[in-house]
Amino acid sequence: MPEVFIDGKRYEYEGQPMLLQFILDQGLEVPFFCYHPSMSIPANCRQCMVKVGTPVKDRETGEFELDENGDRKIRWFPKPQTSCSTPLQDGMVVHTQETSEEIARAQKDNLEFILINHPLDCPICDQAGECPLQIQTYKYGPEGSRFEVKKVHKPKHVDLGPRVTLDAERCINCTRCVRFTEEISETNQLTIVDRGDSNYPTTAPGETFDDPYSMNTVDICPVGALTSTDFRFKARVWEMNQTPSIDITNGKGCNIDLWTRDNEVLRITPRQNEDVNDYWMPDAGRDAYKLFNENRVDRPSITLDENNQSNTSWNNAIETFAEVIEANDPSDITIVGSPHASVEENYVFNKFFNLLGVSNAKFTPHVIPGSGDGFLITDDQAPNTNGCRVINLDETDDGAIQSVVSDAKVVIILSDDLIGRDVLTSSDLESPYTISLATNISDTTKASDLVIPITCVAEHAASYVNVDGRIQRSYPAKETKYTNRRLNLEMSEGRLDRFGTNFDNWVSEENKVDCLPLWEFLNKLADRLGLEFEYNHSREIFTELSNSLDVLSNVSYDRMDEEKGVQLPIKQKEVKA
């Protein structure tokens, strides 16, 4: 097997890897800015330089030539090489900054050059705390600058588009953003203008950077030149908790991280998963943070007369819910599941009412033909359509839902704005007594007689099956009125959570929503109705599902965690339609 020697240690390799990626794969470190594993290699930042040599072979014998010490003779390249663009060769010898003073000096000088016109605004820069330039300057850069003349000033606070703001002075011309629009989103909306120390990325005159994936350039910008217009100046990275989750704005199920502070989701960024979304996500998925913070159903509410919906206690809500069920025959009750709710929620929702003799839950997919782009935006607007199919809910079209609702005396809807997406009209819900189990206020909750607030994807652990049949799960990122971050071992804790107190001005109870996980509310309702029904965690629900459904056998939360989701042996055409 071919071999390479890096800083005196021997490694074997297969294929034709590039040197920088191979070094990173071994857990070693070489500083870089322009390189990205999913894009082309321009080698223009010059930061990943290493010293490279190859062993000398005797042309006649093919044997390695040895020096007086019996070691292989090495023919060194005359200048340092950019490791990102250097393919490995059998027998190659590499010295990084760890073993070569020449390379350490070259990287230090290069950083000094990059910093000549870079503003020293780290205290106010949004990238502070996660800026590779800041980190690498601290680790590998000079202690000061010899540049004593006025820096070159470029445009600041430029609105490139509706979601991205440019501070051109911070740009180091790594061209990651330009290559992203050329190679990944393929909109070609960004280019580099001007020359030398005056150049920076921008759009063509009169054009707007409205690429539906534009905010990925913010993620990959190594210096804070491109910033999120929405997130600027809201929080520092060290103040927030980072929690893995799933994008719920369409059927792709992009892997994401939720960034929270004081129980508010402040930003959403993509989480790398090469089987689903690589390093990217659509901008629409980032706007979902508003769904988790704003317009939430907070406390149960009940309609006392035609247009007067007011908050009520949990006890009264449970009692009202129970009385409605007891007053009606199961055949007069229709339950509607949701592709917007998790596998666990749909399962317990269906099981609970099945125990009362109610027919299987129906659901209708939320599909807008033509809205997908063949990349990460799908026609399917819901995150769990295949999850509803896996647990065998009754899939129907909009007309069938309208028909069963009109025949029912009681309609119970799980987390789906059927009016907002034109499946039903307000008049369809005038006759039956309507109960909504919902996360956000919508046209459907406004038309309901009783509204029960339930936790959203940011507040519970649950699983979702994407359009490709891959099941993935979320973690709780936000506390509710009834949960505590320090008691729940699944919840991440930031510096403020560990060391803050209730008297600190960044701690507030106002951002905790008064809601319950669906299974916890159904436990309370089951107690009132005398049903044998109890779950303490979504993990229990999934274990039951895994033991009862062949398609989910051998699937567990632990396996989803280890494998970043599990591909189920299903295809859409094979699932019940």
Side-chain angles (χ1 to χ4, degrees):
M1 186 172 286
E3 60 185 5
V4 61
F5 299 87
I6 301 173
D7 291 336
K9 187 175 180 180
R10 179 180 178 275
Y11 299 88
E12 294 182 345
Y13 67 92
E14 295 179 345
Q16 282 292 316
M18 290 296 184
L19 179 53
L20 176 59
Q21 188 60 57
F22 184 78
I23 290 173
L24 299 176
D25 291 343
Q26 308 313 310
L28 307 175
E29 184 174 287
V30 165
F32 64 93
F33 297 115
C34 68
Y35 174 73
H36 191 286
S38 288
M39 294 192 291
S40 60
I41 299 173
N44 59 0
C45 78
R46 320 303 293 177
Q47 188 59 44
C48 63
M49 290 179 289
V50 292
K51 185 177 180 180
V52 176
T54 53
V56 180
K57 284 187 177 180
D58 188 300
R59 291 186 176 180
E60 294 182 358
T61 64
E63 298 294 325
F64 291 117
E65 294 186 15
L66 305 179
D67 60 18
E68 60 274 11
N69 297 321
D71 298 325
R72 291 177 185 174
K73 286 185 179 178
I74 304 299
R75 181 181 291 114
W76 296 98
F77 285 43
K79 295 180 181 179
Q81 301 295 303
T82 51
S83 57
C84 64
S85 60
T86 303
L88 287 189
Q89 294 180 39
D90 189 15
M92 179 180 275
V93 178
V94 181
H95 286 176
T96 71
Q97 71 283 348
E98 300 295 330
T99 53
S100 169
E101 289 187 12
E102 177 191 359
I103 293 301
R105 179 57 190 265
Q107 291 176 353
K108 181 178 292 188
D109 289 348
N110 193 55
L111 271 168
E112 185 180 9
F113 176 72
I114 289 174
L115 289 167
I116 280 181
N117 288 307
H118 189 82
L120 298 178
D121 60 352
C122 300
I124 61 167
C125 179
D126 272 288
Q127 192 84 352
E130 55 182 356
C131 173
L133 180 60
Q134 189 183 44
I135 295 168
Q136 292 180 23
T137 299
Y138 178 76
K139 296 180 71 172
Y140 305 109
E143 294 179 356
S145 174
R146 290 170 288 176
F147 193 72
E148 296 178 349
V149 297
K150 190 175 181 180
K151 290 175 181 278
V152 173
H153 293 294
K154 303 178 192 177
K156 297 181 75 69
H157 313 304
V158 180
D159 291 332
L160 286 184
R163 298 174 290 274
V164 178
T165 299
L166 168 70
D167 189 323
E169 287 187 350
R170 296 174 185 162
C171 177
I172 61 171
N173 291 294
C174 71
T175 69
R176 277 182 169 191
C177 55
V178 175
R179 282 179 283 140
F180 176 84
T181 63
E182 291 174 350
E183 300 167 13
I184 307 298
S185 66
E186 299 181 347
T187 59
N188 295 289
Q189 288 190 332
L190 290 181
T191 188
I192 298 290
V193 297
D194 278 331
R195 293 184 175 185
D197 56 12
S198 297
N199 59 8
Y200 60 90
T202 189
T203 59
E207 296 297 321
T208 298
F209 186 36
D210 56 0
D211 187 322
Y213 296 91
S214 66
M215 292 179 72
N216 290 283
T217 60
V218 175
D219 300 328
I220 60 177
C221 178
V223 291
L226 296 171
T227 59
S228 164
T229 304
D230 215 18
F231 179 66
R232 281 165 66 88
F233 309 122
K234 277 189 176 176
R236 295 296 194 187
V237 64
W238 58 82
E239 298 174 334
M240 298 186 287
N241 297 321
Q242 182 181 7
T243 306
S245 192
I246 303 299
D247 177 19
I248 48 120
T249 57
N250 71 42
K252 190 65 178 178
C254 289
N255 288 209
I256 61 171
D257 281 315
L258 302 177
W259 296 81
T260 57
R261 186 185 68 179
D262 192 20
N263 281 304
E264 281 192 305
V265 181
L266 297 180
R267 72 170 179 174
I268 296 174
T269 55
R271 179 165 48 95
Q272 196 264 343
N273 186 335
E274 61 185 15
D275 293 320
V276 180
N277 56 298
D278 203 6
Y279 294 88
W280 325 114
M281 70 176 294
D283 291 354
R286 302 177 193 250
D287 284 339
Y289 80 92
K290 297 173 184 172
L291 292 173
F292 306 142
N293 300 335
E294 303 168 6
N295 204 32
R296 294 294 304 275
V297 180
D298 194 2
R299 294 190 66 187
S301 61
I302 192 167
T303 302
L304 299 176
D305 53 48
E306 190 172 348
N307 293 313
N308 183 13
Q309 211 169 41
S310 59
N311 287 338
T312 186
S313 67
W314 282 99
N315 284 341
N316 190 44
I318 292 169
E319 187 61 32
T320 303
F321 204 138
E323 287 176 357
V324 170
I325 291 174
E326 290 171 337
N328 289 276
D329 191 84
S331 61
D332 293 327
I333 298 175
T334 289
I335 57 173
V336 183
S338 171
H340 292 277
S342 65
V343 170
E344 291 83 350
E345 287 176 306
N346 277 292
Y347 173 72
V348 295
F349 177 73
N350 191 45
K351 179 180 177 180
F352 180 89
F353 291 101
N354 283 172
L355 291 174
L356 293 168
V358 178
S359 300
N360 234 20
K362 302 184 184 309
F363 82 99
T364 176
H366 187 182
V367 175
I368 301 178
S371 60
D373 63 359
F375 183 31
L376 299 179
I377 300 173
T378 61
D379 288 355
D380 192 341
Q381 305 294 296
N384 196 37
T385 306
N386 272 336
C388 294
R389 291 168 174 154
V390 162
I391 59 173
N392 295 315
L393 298 192
D394 290 341
E395 183 174 350
T396 60
D397 57 25
D398 296 356
I401 289 285
Q402 232 176 356
S403 175
V404 295
V405 165
S406 63
D407 294 337
K409 292 181 179 177
V410 178
V411 176
I412 304 171
I413 301 170
L414 171 63
S415 201
D416 199 347
D417 184 13
L418 295 174
I419 296 177
R421 63 183 181 100
D422 297 328
V423 176
L424 300 176
T425 63
S426 298
S427 59
D428 290 327
L429 297 181
E430 286 178 358
S431 175
Y433 189 90
T434 304
I435 301 173
S436 281
L437 299 140
T439 59
N440 292 78
I441 297 171
S442 64
D443 292 337
T444 303
T445 61
K446 290 175 183 174
S448 299
D449 299 287
L450 176 64
V451 181
I452 306 296
I454 59 173
T455 50
C456 67
V457 65
E459 292 158 341
H460 60 219
S463 58
Y464 301 79
V465 184
N466 75 359
V467 290
D468 301 315
R470 189 177 187 84
I471 187 166
Q472 308 172 103
R473 79 154 177 135
S474 65
Y475 297 76
K478 292 180 63 186
E479 291 177 324
T480 68
K481 289 280 186 189
Y482 312 103
T483 58
N484 186 301
R485 185 176 296 280
R486 295 184 180 182
L487 298 178
N488 187 338
L489 297 180
E490 275 201 316
M491 297 187 79
S492 60
E493 279 190 289
R495 190 171 66 89
L496 298 185
D497 300 310
R498 291 194 182 95
F499 305 115
T501 73
N502 289 335
F503 302 104
D504 293 324
N505 59 8
W506 56 70
V507 176
S508 168
E509 288 293 311
E510 295 178 2
N511 299 326
K512 292 183 179 179
V513 181
D514 191 354
C515 60
L516 289 172
L518 176 65
W519 43 91
E520 201 168 320
F521 173 76
L522 294 178
N523 285 344
K524 297 176 185 295
L525 188 58
D527 280 345
R528 165 62 181 79
L529 293 170
L531 287 179
E532 289 188 11
F533 179 96
E534 184 173 2
Y535 295 98
N536 296 311
H537 194 278
S538 56
R539 192 182 292 269
E540 284 182 24
I541 303 168
F542 194 83
T543 300
E544 183 174 307
L545 272 167
S546 179
N547 292 334
S548 58
L549 294 176
D550 290 341
V551 72
L552 294 178
S553 62
N554 300 320
V555 181
S556 65
Y557 276 14
D558 291 341
R559 190 176 165 201
M560 281 187 251
D561 295 344
E562 292 167 3
E563 301 176 21
K564 293 184 178 179
V566 177
Q567 182 64 46
L568 301 180
I570 63 168
K571 292 181 180 176
Q572 269 190 295
K573 61 183 181 182
E574 295 176 350
V575 181
K576 182 178 180 181

